Amino acid sequence: MNSDRSKDLTQQVTYAVLAVPGVACLRPGLRSLLQATGSRQQAAADQPDPGGAVRITYDPRGRVAALRIEIVVRARHQAASTAAAVRAAAVEAAATTPGAVRVTVTGIV
């Protein structure tokens, strides 16, 4: 798999996931948690860093075989509904099947 294509797809999925209402951040890192609590607004020039929270596995033909996403949900939102919306957004962003996407809620803030 082409490294640039993989990075581009990871960024596309990251943007799609972060746009879902109720998503505070990707898997918690200190920086992500601080941003999620509103102590610092993300500047337009900042690229969201998915770290290990968005992992993509490809099949031999270069198609997405598995997409794993770990998120933190805002306390005012229902975790199951937010995870389902994240899954739908990731399916669309990665142009893959719903069965290939697994979303894990790692925390609530």
Side-chain angles (χ1 to χ4, degrees):
M1 173 79 322
N2 182 331
S3 177
D4 288 337
R5 180 173 174 248
S6 183
K7 285 180 186 178
D8 289 346
L9 184 56
T10 299
Q11 280 299 321
Q12 282 181 286
V13 170
T14 299
Y15 283 123
V17 167
L18 291 175
V20 173
V23 174
C25 60
L26 295 174
R27 178 179 53 183
L30 181 57
R31 180 177 177 193
S32 295
L33 287 174
L34 290 173
Q35 288 174 347
T37 59
S39 63
R40 179 176 101 77
Q41 291 295 328
Q42 188 171 0
D46 286 350
Q47 291 277 342
D49 179 17
V54 176
R55 294 182 306 281
I56 303 172
T57 305
Y58 297 93
D59 68 13
R61 290 182 235 154
R63 292 182 292 192
V64 175
L67 176 55
R68 307 291 181 245
I69 303 165
E70 297 177 354
I71 61 170
V72 175
V73 175
R74 294 194 182 277
R76 296 180 307 275
H77 291 82
Q78 184 183 36
S81 297
T82 302
V86 165
R87 184 178 189 184
V91 164
E92 184 176 329
T96 191
T97 62
V101 180
R102 185 174 72 199
V103 178
T104 303
V105 176
T106 61
I108 299 175
V109 294

